[in-house]
Amino acid sequence: MAWSRFFVGNYLANLSNNVINPLLSDPNTYTRPLVLFDQRRYSRRTKTPPKWLARRWPSVSSKGELTPDNQEFINKLVIQKYQNIESPLKDGPWERGTWSPMTFRCGLLGIKIGVQPQWFKNGKKISTTLIQIVDNHVIRYTPPDQLPKNAPYSVVHPSWRGKYGFQVVGALSTDPQWFSKEYNNLFKDAGVPPKRKLCRFLVTPDAAVQPGTPLSVNHFSVGDYVDVEGRTIDHGFQGVVKRWGFKGGPASHGNTKWHRRPGSISGGDSSRVHKGKKMPGHMGEERRELRGLKILRINTKYNILYVVGGNLPGLTHGYLKVTDSVLHYRKAQLIENPPPMPTWHAEDCQESLPEELYDESLFQFTDNSLQLKEESN
């Protein structure tokens, strides 16, 4: 866990000291935890963006042809532009709704930074995954009545019409010079710089968040149950032994080039290969979602969630979507203690939040681990 603390501490310290300005950072040469992971759609594994998505990269990049003086002048203009841009929050916050069991709140977009063990008060050890919520802002909200009517199922499902709207959230600001004009225009109404990663959430109208609103780790509370979604690790083309766990052939006694083969793939009566037969092929790089994971600990200084489980999908430093759990038996606990609607606002908290928030069942290392009692004579 030392490397995770080193990354988080140094990254935020550099931001505070203006050593690394994320607004003027190159997404192609940035540190590995902040590289750009493109969204995949249509097929299960494709890097081809859909036709309706705004083109991210410009056709011709002229940034490398600028002189150092011209580059410094443009960087000052970029910073000045986004410092003086008008935010939609100046018109006042939207009316807040009341939480109900049918409410769908907006989620967060985090970075998986590692796995760290935790201990309960009874001594039981459990693995937790650390998810850092870095620079999240609401980019756009589309109400249910404005959803496209003739959009394909990959964009708008028929069961969503009239019930849910779209809330677009972006993470990690970057230099607008590296992106196309169409992509930069997506952030014009929100009043924030372009983001490296965009994500869409289904929300009900009573939980809509005003564009331009920053989202922090306090969107959730300790003890809440969340659903985490991400892309699994890509292993490429693999055989049946690694992909499906086949035993393979014998290692000796006349075996020649049959150690890791699948064997017969069709029966004698059918004389065909049945659908769904486990065969060699591409392994990994699929969307996976784990539901009902409990938040055991929250670090409010570095915006880190400690989520139960060490098997969350994706590579370390990859992106993860974190939303309220849709499991009905997990939503029951929110009736007595509803979450902040539509999100957490700093003005709602009169007292300063502690740096570490723990679940009541979690052991804190500041407490005494052993208590000795005097024996009575």
Side-chain angles (χ1 to χ4, degrees):
M1 185 49 202
W3 61 269
S4 296
R5 291 180 179 175
F6 175 81
F7 158 66
V8 176
N10 283 271
Y11 170 68
L12 295 178
N14 291 334
L15 289 183
S16 60
N17 297 331
N18 294 327
V19 177
I20 298 177
N21 192 338
L23 184 59
L24 301 178
S25 61
D26 181 2
N28 298 320
T29 59
Y30 214 75
T31 55
R32 185 187 171 196
L34 303 182
V35 297
L36 181 64
F37 285 76
D38 293 332
Q39 292 179 338
R40 321 289 168 83
R41 285 186 177 88
Y42 289 146
S43 62
R44 293 170 63 182
R45 306 176 189 93
T46 179
K47 295 184 179 180
T48 303
K51 298 180 181 179
W52 50 267
L53 190 64
R55 182 168 52 89
R56 184 186 298 268
W57 307 109
S59 57
V60 179
S61 179
S62 59
K63 188 172 182 178
E65 302 176 358
L66 298 177
T67 61
D69 295 339
N70 291 338
Q71 186 61 53
E72 182 180 0
F73 174 73
I74 293 178
N75 291 342
K76 293 181 179 179
L77 290 181
V78 170
I79 297 176
Q80 183 180 2
K81 174 183 177 182
Y82 286 98
Q83 285 180 347
N84 300 328
I85 193 172
E86 293 186 358
S87 174
L89 300 178
K90 64 181 179 59
D91 298 332
W94 289 356
E95 182 180 358
R96 302 183 186 182
T98 305
W99 186 89
S100 66
M102 301 302 296
T103 299
F104 273 67
R105 292 198 310 156
C106 176
L108 300 178
L109 194 57
I111 297 177
K112 177 181 176 182
I113 61 176
V115 178
Q116 184 182 22
Q118 299 289 325
W119 284 264
F120 292 110
K121 293 182 179 180
N122 57 5
K124 182 180 178 181
K125 178 182 177 182
I126 188 172
S127 296
T128 60
T129 300
L130 280 67
I131 304 176
Q132 187 181 16
I133 311 300
V134 184
D135 196 17
N136 276 215
H137 282 85
V138 177
I139 306 302
R140 181 176 299 178
Y141 170 68
T142 304
D145 55 352
Q146 296 183 9
L147 296 181
K149 298 181 180 179
N150 299 326
Y153 287 175
S154 60
V155 181
V156 180
H157 197 272
S159 61
W160 301 345
R161 302 186 185 279
K163 299 180 182 179
Y164 309 106
F166 287 163
Q167 193 88 64
V168 179
V169 177
L172 297 172
S173 301
T174 185
D175 188 355
Q177 303 175 64
W178 290 100
F179 298 100
S180 63
K181 182 179 180 180
E182 295 83 357
Y183 186 77
N184 290 330
N185 289 337
L186 298 177
F187 309 90
K188 186 176 181 180
D189 297 337
V192 297
K195 301 289 184 177
R196 288 186 178 87
K197 182 70 173 179
L198 291 178
C199 188
R200 184 181 67 180
F201 298 94
L202 289 179
V203 297
T204 50
D206 58 346
V209 186
Q210 187 176 6
T213 303
L215 302 177
S216 66
V217 72
N218 298 314
H219 185 76
F220 301 106
S221 302
V222 171
D224 291 350
Y225 291 89
V226 295
D227 297 341
V228 180
E229 178 185 339
R231 285 276 178 173
T232 58
I233 298 176
D234 187 8
H235 295 271
F237 192 96
Q238 298 295 332
V240 294
V241 174
K242 181 175 181 179
R243 190 184 186 196
W244 302 110
F246 280 18
K247 180 181 179 181
S252 61
H253 294 281
N255 187 358
T256 303
K257 299 180 181 180
W258 199 265
H259 301 83
R260 299 176 68 89
R261 289 193 178 185
S264 177
I265 60 176
S266 63
D269 297 335
S270 60
S271 299
R272 66 185 181 89
V273 180
H274 293 277
K275 292 183 178 180
K277 176 64 178 177
K278 296 180 179 179
M279 300 280 286
H282 196 114
M283 179 181 176
E285 191 61 24
E286 298 183 8
R287 186 185 68 87
R288 289 291 181 266
E289 183 180 11
L290 298 180
R291 296 182 176 179
L293 305 180
K294 188 176 182 180
I295 300 177
L296 293 180
R297 181 178 170 185
I298 293 179
N299 185 293
T300 58
K301 181 179 180 180
Y302 297 125
N303 284 342
I304 297 178
L305 294 172
Y306 291 73
V307 181
V308 171
N311 60 338
L312 270 64
L315 288 166
T316 304
H317 304 156
Y319 289 101
L320 294 174
K321 293 172 58 177
V322 186
T323 57
D324 293 328
S325 181
V326 297
L327 302 178
H328 65 279
Y329 55 89
R330 298 304 187 191
K331 277 191 171 184
Q333 66 166 1
L334 297 179
I335 298 178
E336 299 179 357
N337 188 19
M341 285 287 291
T343 185
W344 182 84
H345 296 274
E347 57 270 15
D348 297 340
C349 185
Q350 300 179 357
E351 301 179 356
S352 60
L353 294 174
E355 182 177 344
E356 294 285 350
L357 300 175
Y358 294 87
D359 186 68
E360 57 182 6
S361 62
L362 202 63
F363 174 75
Q364 304 181 26
F365 288 96
T366 56
D367 300 338
N368 297 326
S369 59
L370 182 63
Q371 295 182 358
L372 301 177
K373 297 182 180 180
E374 297 181 357
E375 296 182 357
S376 60
N377 297 331

